Every structure is written in C-alpha cells, then in structure tokens.
Amino acid sequence: MLYSKPLRILLLILSWGSLFLLKPASAKRFSPAAILVSLLLTVETMIAIPYKLWTIKGGLKRRLWGDLSFIFGPFFAGTLWIFHLTYGKFWKYILLNGFIDFLFAYPLSFLFEKSGLYRLKRLNNHTLFSLSLIFASVIYAYQSFLEKQFSRNQEE
C-alpha cells in the first residue's frame, strides 16, 4: 500500500513519456483504437465495482485514480505502441499482444497485488488474460474497419 501511489504516478509518467518517441502520425492513426479500448476498460471498471471483480483499498476517489491510472496510462500508450509496431501483420499483433497480456495477467498482476495497487477478487488471472485477448481482437477489427473506410474515402 505504501508504494501504490508512487507506482501509479510512475506508470503514468513512463507511459505518456514513451509516446514522445512515437511518430505523431502513428499516434493519430491508432488513437481511435486506443480510445475504444479505454472505453471498454472503463465499462469493465464500472461492472467491476458492483461485482467486486477487483478491489482497491480506500474510497471512491482512490479507486477512480487507481483504475484510471491504468486505463489512460499503460493500456492507452501500450495500445498505440503495439499497433505502431505490428498493425497490418495480424499474427505478429496477436503474438505481441498475447505476450504482453500474459505478462500483465500473471507476473505483473502478482507484483501489483503485492505492492498494493489492487487485489483481484472475483476476476482471476485466466479471465483477465482472456478478456485482454478479446479486447485486443475487438480493437484490431475496429482499426481495420476504420482503415478500410479511410482508404475508401480517399479513393472517392
């Protein structure tokens, strides 16, 4: 619990700081997918509260800060980076996303729980991993749809 606030701040700073290394065109191109996954994760967070999928010690303010620091930190920036590195190569995208989702769901989640960031309750690591892969597939399909629409509009 002692390290949770500095760790959240560090995650946000590192996530957003890494985006200075990303090409602005990539950030602009893939931001709709990053925004969509942020919305999906926000809905998941809203569902998590009454169903107690995970807990964050403290009141509502601490819970919001905790959830939003992940959603708009590593998940948002990570989505931009993964799309930048792999978009157009679906298997590469799935493999990289699966690897990162595995790291998050298992070893990192264990470390985050030990450091007091959160504690999984009714959501287990396997379900967390599966949901991450489902969200990754949804946002890839969404980005592909947007790319087709954009290319169609340019042809007209």
Side-chain angles (χ1 to χ4, degrees):
M1 183 78 165
L2 178 65
Y3 302 111
S4 65
K5 188 174 183 178
L7 188 55
R8 280 187 178 85
I9 292 169
L10 182 65
L11 284 171
L12 275 170
I13 291 170
L14 290 175
S15 299
W16 281 90
S18 76
L19 294 179
F20 288 108
L21 303 172
L22 187 66
K23 294 178 183 176
S26 284
K28 182 178 178 183
R29 177 181 179 191
F30 300 123
S31 62
I35 291 168
L36 177 60
V37 82
S38 298
L39 290 173
L40 291 171
L41 291 168
T42 301
V43 169
E44 179 184 46
T45 297
M46 291 166 47
I47 292 169
I49 294 169
Y51 289 100
K52 296 180 174 80
L53 300 180
W54 62 82
T55 59
I56 296 175
K57 289 185 180 176
L60 182 61
K61 183 178 177 183
R62 177 169 271 197
R63 181 176 185 89
L64 285 173
W65 166 241
D67 290 334
L68 294 177
S69 67
F70 272 95
I71 293 170
F72 295 106
F75 292 127
F76 187 88
T79 299
L80 292 175
W81 274 108
I82 291 170
F83 271 99
H84 171 74
L85 295 170
T86 65
Y87 186 74
K89 302 167 194 97
F90 182 72
W91 290 110
K92 202 178 209 183
Y93 171 81
I94 284 296
L95 287 173
L96 180 59
N97 224 311
F99 176 72
I100 290 173
D101 292 342
F102 177 85
L103 286 178
F104 176 69
Y106 296 98
L108 287 176
S109 191
F110 175 79
L111 291 173
F112 291 154
E113 285 189 58
K114 290 294 180 196
S115 68
L117 285 177
Y118 60 81
R119 176 149 322 274
L120 295 178
K121 292 292 186 181
R122 291 187 175 163
L123 182 72
N124 63 36
N125 300 81
H126 307 306
T127 307
L128 180 62
F129 177 68
S130 298
L131 280 171
S132 298
L133 288 178
I134 290 168
F135 288 171
S137 300
V138 167
I139 63 173
Y140 193 91
Y142 178 68
Q143 184 65 34
S144 296
F145 171 78
L146 291 178
E147 297 276 331
K148 287 177 188 170
Q149 294 302 316
F150 183 69
S151 64
R152 259 192 219 139
N153 289 343
Q154 281 190 329
E155 290 172 4
E156 293 176 356

